Amino acid sequence: MRAVTGRVLLLGGTGEARGLAEALAAEGVDVLSSLAGRTADPVLPPGEVRIGGFGGTEGLADWLRANPVRALVDATHPFAREMTEHAARAAARTGTPHLRLQRPGWREQPGDDWRRVGSLEEAAGAVAGFAHVFVTTGRTGLGAFAGLTQEVLVRAVDPPEPPLPPRTTVVLERGPFSVDDELALMREHAVDVVVTKDSGGHLTEAKLTAARQLGIPVVMVHRPPLPPGMTVVETVEDALAWLRAQAG
Ligand code: NAP
């Protein structure tokens, strides 16, 4: 099997990014993981880590000129739209081989009642008429729900900042979550609708199973589109295969 040679810049903040960093570090590859610095106590991947933004497309392009890498792998979250756009442009400007690693979205299953919307604002509109809303879209962007007057349960890793709906209960927890835990939480708060982004992946999908079992609807926010023309893989294994091919 061909080895990956040269330094890899890995834009992270996801389980896939950590998985790829672990696989590369295990092969002795020089991997530099980059985190945005949004969470107070991030789970750090093995290998070297840098934290904080690059300063937009130009900042990242300058960084790549000063610190050339074998490849740039963008394994940020499917909703980290800005970083993904900056990475695509900066890679093109500097001629850096560039890969997008993005896990597939969730698939609706028999028994699901999903209502697909295009934004957090639309999601807030879609929960009108429900009494106990469970918002699992993360700490940022919650201002979109500030006008809701019903009971709102918000789950996030770090405390969310105002504005929040007036009747908000915050649960601070980091996944993965089990179906039993999700069922217990939803029953405790009499949740009758769940709001989520289509993040995909196994770490947080238990809420979808719990909603199906309880027979309650899920308001599913669509992913932002990817910039055109980029190479995209969905798994750590395929990212490794792409990196090995680059090495040849
Ligand atoms: P974003 O809106 O796409 O990015 C905003 C800015 O944050 C970027 O322009 C960049 O600043 C900086 N940034 C983002 N990811 C970075 C990284 N990996 N390394 C260095 N700088 C980074 O991103 P976001 O939605 O706020 O997400 C921030 C981070 O949290 C991402 O790493 C993402 O993987 C992770 N995350 C996001 C979500 C979500 O729902 N959005 C969920 C779980 C985890 P500069 O322009 O200064 O370079």
Side-chain angles (χ1 to χ4, degrees):
M1 191 187 299
R2 213 180 258 159
V4 180
T5 54
R7 182 173 241 207
V8 174
L9 174 62
L10 176 54
L11 304 177
T14 58
E16 288 72 24
R18 270 196 306 282
L20 182 57
E22 279 162 16
L24 290 172
E27 288 187 15
V29 176
D30 179 10
V31 56
L32 172 62
S33 292
S34 174
L35 302 177
R38 292 281 194 280
T39 39
D41 182 22
V43 184
L44 294 179
E48 205 183 329
V49 178
R50 66 169 297 286
I51 295 183
F54 293 91
T57 301
E58 259 324 301
L60 179 55
D62 287 345
W63 190 95
L64 287 168
R65 285 184 198 106
N67 307 273
V69 292
R70 185 76 188 82
L72 165 59
V73 180
D74 171 11
T76 57
H77 191 269
F79 281 80
R81 180 181 195 155
E82 277 181 51
M83 189 69 247
T84 290
E85 284 178 1
H86 296 172
R89 285 196 219 115
R93 278 182 206 178
T94 56
T96 306
H98 168 232
L99 180 72
R100 171 68 174 150
L101 166 58
Q102 178 169 284
R103 60 193 176 221
W106 285 312
R107 291 252 181 102
E108 205 165 346
Q109 295 185 24
D112 281 332
D113 173 7
W114 288 8
R115 302 161 188 205
R116 293 184 181 273
V117 296
S119 66
L120 295 178
E121 289 71 20
E122 280 181 37
V127 299
F130 291 94
H132 299 272
V133 185
F134 184 17
V135 176
T136 68
T137 52
R139 188 166 64 101
T140 53
L142 289 174
F145 300 95
L148 297 185
T149 52
Q150 60 268 65
E151 295 287 342
V152 177
L153 174 66
V154 168
R155 180 169 63 201
V157 175
D158 291 315
E161 282 158 23
L164 296 173
R167 293 160 68 197
T168 297
T169 303
V170 175
V171 193
L172 296 180
E173 273 179 333
R174 192 199 299 266
F177 306 104
S178 72
V179 174
D180 284 347
D181 288 347
E182 297 293 47
L183 284 169
L185 184 70
M186 290 188 202
R187 286 191 176 119
E188 182 191 340
H189 294 270
V191 167
D192 57 359
V193 65
V194 177
V195 182
T196 180
K197 295 173 178 170
D198 184 10
S199 299
H202 300 300
L203 295 182
T204 57
E205 75 176 344
K207 61 190 169 191
L208 305 176
T209 310
R212 188 182 314 125
Q213 290 186 9
L214 293 172
I216 62 178
V218 173
V219 175
M220 182 69 67
V221 183
H222 271 308
R223 293 174 167 199
L226 285 171
M230 53 171 43
T231 306
V232 185
V233 294
E234 295 188 334
T235 64
V236 168
E237 292 68 32
D238 286 349
L240 280 169
W242 181 87
L243 283 164
R244 289 193 183 108
Q246 294 298 308

